[in-house]
Amino acid sequence: AQSVTQLGSHVSVSEGALVLLRCNYSSSVPPYLFWYVQYPNQGLQLLLKYTSAATLVKGINGFEAEFKKSETSFHLTKPSAHMSDAAEYFCAVSDPGNTGKLIFGQGTTLQVKP
Amino acid sequence: DTAVSQTPKYLVTQMGNDKSIKCEQNLGHDTMYWYKQDSKKFLKIMFSYNNKELIINETVPNRFSPKSPDKAHLNLHINSLELGDSAVYFCASSQQTGTYNEQFFGPGTRLTVL
């Protein structure tokens, strides 16, 4: 069965510092992986997705993620954090049954300090 | 224009009542979903419909009944509300059912059962 684990429920960085949010997956087949962001009191917005075309995926707002099969990881990074990046971040894997079902990790709250 | 809209945004009600949440998407998508986000922000899929046909029906109490009058609308009716139903409910849509289709989320409905 597919599953996603996000290491670190809270991550705190200073403005301008590197952002690293960790995601490890478990999948019986080549996975499709997603990162979503949830700003306070809003719905989720897609940051980026991995669909096997390229291992380094660039997303919106300067975020990128690298798929590493050997490590079963899909960590999200951004070189320089902005105050506006403070939000909840979710990693998700798509169920292989072609139903569109997303299996989400527990989420990571990103705090950005001035 | 809001792509995926939900009404109401907030819903406060007493235990035992019946309530409905409405969702509409104007993206022309074929597939719609309901997710539940609990107090720890964990997201879990409940249902999905593709062109008015039920595709996913997770282990959800049968007090929850989705209804899709057309492919642009997916409503959620909840009978005999319980305290544990308190959560944020998100509607989402995607162009098609599939493992790599981006899902677009509504703003959420915060349900509080007293």
Side-chain angles (χ1 to χ4, degrees):
Chain A
Q2 323 297 99
S3 67
V4 169
T5 302
Q6 291 182 239
L7 298 174
S9 58
H10 286 84
V11 170
S12 183
V13 301
S14 298
E15 194 174 17
L18 171 72
V19 175
L20 171 60
L21 304 182
R22 299 177 187 273
C23 173
N24 287 88
Y25 68 90
S26 173
S27 177
S28 55
V29 298
Y32 289 102
L33 295 159
F34 304 80
W35 274 100
Y36 281 85
V37 60
Q38 183 181 23
Y39 297 106
N41 298 314
Q42 294 187 28
L44 280 73
Q45 179 183 4
L46 181 71
L47 278 176
L48 48 82
K49 65 180 179 183
Y50 169 74
T51 58
S52 77
T55 56
L56 184 62
V57 182
K58 294 189 184 299
I60 62 170
N61 301 338
F63 285 94
E64 63 181 36
E66 187 172 9
F67 173 74
K68 291 187 177 180
K69 184 179 177 181
S70 60
E71 298 177 9
T72 60
S73 69
F74 190 55
H75 301 331
L76 182 71
T77 60
K78 182 173 180 177
S80 176
H82 292 170
M83 296 297 291
S84 59
D85 294 327
E88 191 79 19
Y89 290 80
F90 292 94
C91 183
V93 64
S94 187
D95 183 85
N98 208 38
T99 60
K101 174 181 172 181
L102 288 176
I103 299 154
F104 284 90
Q106 308 93 314
T108 298
T109 303
L110 176 65
Q111 180 187 23
V112 182
K113 298 178 291 186
Chain B
D1 264 351
T2 305
V4 182
S5 59
Q6 296 179 228
T7 53
K9 189 166 176 62
Y10 299 96
L11 185 52
V12 181
T13 188
Q14 300 287 331
M15 265 196 322
N17 284 350
D18 303 338
K19 290 293 178 185
S20 291
I21 306 171
K22 296 187 176 183
C23 178
E24 176 182 2
Q25 55 94 4
N26 63 8
L27 297 167
H29 288 170
D30 285 344
T31 309
M32 296 184 72
Y33 311 80
W34 277 111
Y35 287 86
K36 178 180 180 180
Q37 186 175 46
D38 64 22
S39 59
K40 295 182 180 178
K41 298 195 175 180
F42 182 66
L43 274 156
K44 192 171 190 303
I45 192 163
M46 301 172 70
F47 304 102
S48 81
Y49 272 74
N50 185 58
N51 259 324
K52 303 194 297 175
E53 179 185 351
L54 183 65
I55 300 296
I56 297 174
N57 186 353
E58 290 289 292
T59 309
V60 176
N62 57 15
R63 297 182 294 104
F64 290 79
S65 54
K67 283 188 172 53
S68 182
D70 54 62
K71 73 174 191 176
H73 296 85
L74 180 61
N75 303 323
L76 184 65
H77 188 76
I78 315 170
N79 289 327
S80 303
L81 277 155
E82 300 177 358
L83 292 175
D85 298 332
S86 294
V88 181
Y89 292 85
F90 286 100
C91 177
S93 73
S94 64
Q95 193 166 11
Q96 297 170 354
T97 300
T99 53
Y100 53 84
N101 281 288
E102 175 183 356
Q103 294 184 21
F104 292 79
F105 284 75
T109 296
R110 183 174 294 276
L111 171 65
T112 303
V113 182
L114 303 174

